[in-house]
Amino acid sequence: MQRSTVTAVGTAVALVVLTGCGSGGDAGPVPGRSAMTTPAAATSRDAAPSPSAAPAKGSVKVVSTLTEGLKSPWGLAALPDGDALVSSRDEGTITRVDAETGQKTVIGSVPGVSPAGEGGLLGIALSPSYASDHQVYAYFTTTSDNRIARMIYNEKRPPGQQLGAPDTVLRGIPKGSIHNGGRIAFGPDKMLYAGTGETGETGLAQDKKSLAGKILRMTPDGQPVHGNPEANSVVYSLGHRNVQGLAWDSAGRLWASEFGQNTWDELNLIEPGKNYGWPDVEGKAHKPGFVDPVVQWKTDESSPSGIAYAEGSIWMAALRGERLWRIPLAGRKAAAAPQAFLKGEYGRLRTVLSVGGDKVWLMTSNTDGRGTPKPGDDRILLLEVA
């Protein structure tokens, strides 16, 4: 996505005439780990506060490189055996990565993907019942819209032919050359959540009838869920510019990262039916009727994509900012100022995914047309965080 002149306010320091914000990744629960059962409506408003705040300072250790040589990677999911699935935005393929050897195997292509600009094959997620149904969900851009479909992953078929025909669960999400959102994740309630963008048409974010500029919540079949703000709608929250990160904390609260325009990028605590302000406000405006972000950053220090929750903190991948942000939590608030790691070491960072305890995967995004690829790009790193 593109921004106009960047204002030097907040946490960043560069003035740029034109900047790219890119696209996002997958930050849902890891298959094989115990699922939380917090009701959806309690994911923020009614959830009990965390018993204690995360430490003000943390640490990041790069343990190993899981794999290299990925092309325009976007979505990331962990299989029950520890291997990874990665979506390629521009190639429209899903690749399996062996977690021990790093070997890459294309399992199949997603029919109907029409990559252009920030659109293409974006977020992926595994069904909450993956052990029995083997379904992989994908958010992708077609010639007419953005949509979410599911496919059966049959490992017994030959490589390249292991994805079944897509079963579309939700269509009609507006598309654009920019701001397509794209993150999908299953929540603690086993419902499917999706972050969408307003496609550059800013008014769509405030249009309750549009699926653009929203966070959506639906059943695995794509239907509205009890507890949504409107019974016949999958819209969960509105007033978003471009959501590319979704994650739940240990109390079941939903957090989302969001691209700003000229001044402020955001980390928001999401509550059903709330309005997060775009395009009327950007960042902390303290304006009645709109929810202020919990944390904000200058756009040149962030441009956030995927987020994950681990060790009491939200971990946020920054594209333009080329760093990994740690935001320690104390219930519904930040426990301390955000802390940056890996600044400039691996270029643009697209997706971060918790894979149990203090381990997370971090995926770079230097082959998306906006980065400067180095030998080995793009890659997935295994991190140990605290």
Side-chain angles (χ1 to χ4, degrees):
M1 91 192 194
Q2 294 186 335
R3 293 184 170 118
S4 50
T5 308
V6 177
T7 308
V9 208
T11 39
V13 285
L15 282 178
V16 183
V17 173
L18 187 65
T19 69
C21 303
S23 5
D26 180 75
V30 176
R33 296 175 65 190
S34 57
M36 295 179 287
T37 57
T38 307
T43 52
S44 54
R45 180 173 52 199
D46 303 321
S50 299
S52 59
K57 298 295 182 180
S59 63
V60 169
K61 176 184 178 182
V62 179
V63 177
S64 62
T65 298
L66 187 64
T67 197
E68 297 182 334
L70 298 168
K71 297 180 180 179
S72 62
W74 212 101
L76 181 62
L79 290 164
D81 65 358
D83 286 356
L85 291 182
V86 182
S87 65
S88 169
R89 185 193 70 185
D90 296 342
E91 297 191 335
T93 57
I94 296 179
T95 297
R96 181 170 183 150
V97 177
D98 188 299
E100 294 185 359
T101 67
Q103 180 178 348
K104 302 185 296 292
T105 303
V106 175
I107 66 171
S109 299
V110 179
V113 174
S114 179
E118 293 177 5
L121 179 56
L122 303 176
I124 57 175
L126 301 187
S127 162
S129 306
Y130 180 82
S132 58
D133 63 28
H134 303 288
Q135 290 182 335
V136 178
Y137 284 69
Y139 182 117
F140 58 95
T141 311
T142 73
T143 56
S144 60
D145 65 359
N146 285 302
R147 62 183 60 178
I148 302 171
R150 57 189 175 190
M151 298 150 286
I152 294 177
Y153 174 23
N154 185 350
E155 299 180 31
K156 296 180 181 180
R157 294 178 61 86
Q161 304 175 34
Q162 295 175 337
L163 288 177
D167 171 25
T168 301
V169 299
L170 184 69
R171 67 180 74 232
I173 303 169
K175 60 165 282 189
S177 61
I178 58 173
H179 305 182
N180 288 288
R183 190 68 61 185
I184 58 173
F186 281 94
D189 54 2
K190 299 185 179 180
M191 296 297 106
L192 178 60
Y193 293 73
T196 73
E198 33 79 303
T199 73
E201 189 176 336
T202 58
L204 294 180
Q206 292 293 327
D207 182 353
K208 292 184 178 181
K209 296 181 180 180
S210 174
L211 299 180
K214 309 294 189 296
I215 291 176
L216 312 177
R217 174 177 177 254
M218 68 202 82
T219 69
D221 296 325
Q223 300 300 309
V225 188
H226 175 73
N228 280 5
E230 296 185 13
N232 62 346
S233 174
V234 296
V235 172
Y236 195 64
S237 62
L238 72 157
H240 299 288
R241 187 168 185 258
N242 195 22
V243 173
Q244 291 188 5
L246 299 170
W248 289 263
D249 64 22
S250 57
R253 289 176 285 251
L254 174 58
W255 298 81
S257 60
E258 181 168 346
F259 292 95
Q261 183 176 25
N262 297 331
T263 310
W264 299 114
D265 292 326
E266 303 176 358
L267 178 68
N268 285 296
L269 176 61
I270 303 301
E271 297 184 316
K274 294 299 179 68
N275 191 327
Y276 290 81
W278 182 256
D280 297 316
V281 298
E282 179 182 357
K284 296 182 179 180
H286 309 296
K287 188 173 181 179
F290 300 124
V291 178
D292 282 343
V294 174
V295 185
Q296 62 184 17
W297 292 261
K298 281 188 177 178
T299 55
D300 55 352
E301 285 193 343
S302 190
S303 295
S305 191
I307 64 173
Y309 176 80
E311 298 298 293
S313 297
I314 294 290
W315 301 85
M316 188 173 79
L319 289 162
R320 186 179 167 219
E322 297 189 353
R323 66 200 78 180
L324 178 67
W325 285 103
R326 173 186 182 266
I327 304 97
L329 298 182
R332 299 165 53 88
K333 300 180 180 179
Q339 188 178 6
F341 294 94
L342 308 178
K343 182 179 178 181
E345 293 185 37
Y346 295 96
R348 292 160 58 84
L349 304 180
R350 171 69 65 187
T351 300
V352 56
L353 179 68
S354 173
V355 289
D358 62 354
K359 301 297 191 298
V360 301
W361 288 341
L362 178 65
M363 189 163 68
T364 66
S365 186
N366 297 311
T367 59
D368 66 347
R370 290 184 173 166
T372 303
K374 297 179 181 178
D377 277 335
D378 274 304
R379 66 198 76 211
I380 302 173
L381 305 171
L382 174 63
L383 307 182
E384 185 177 283
V385 302

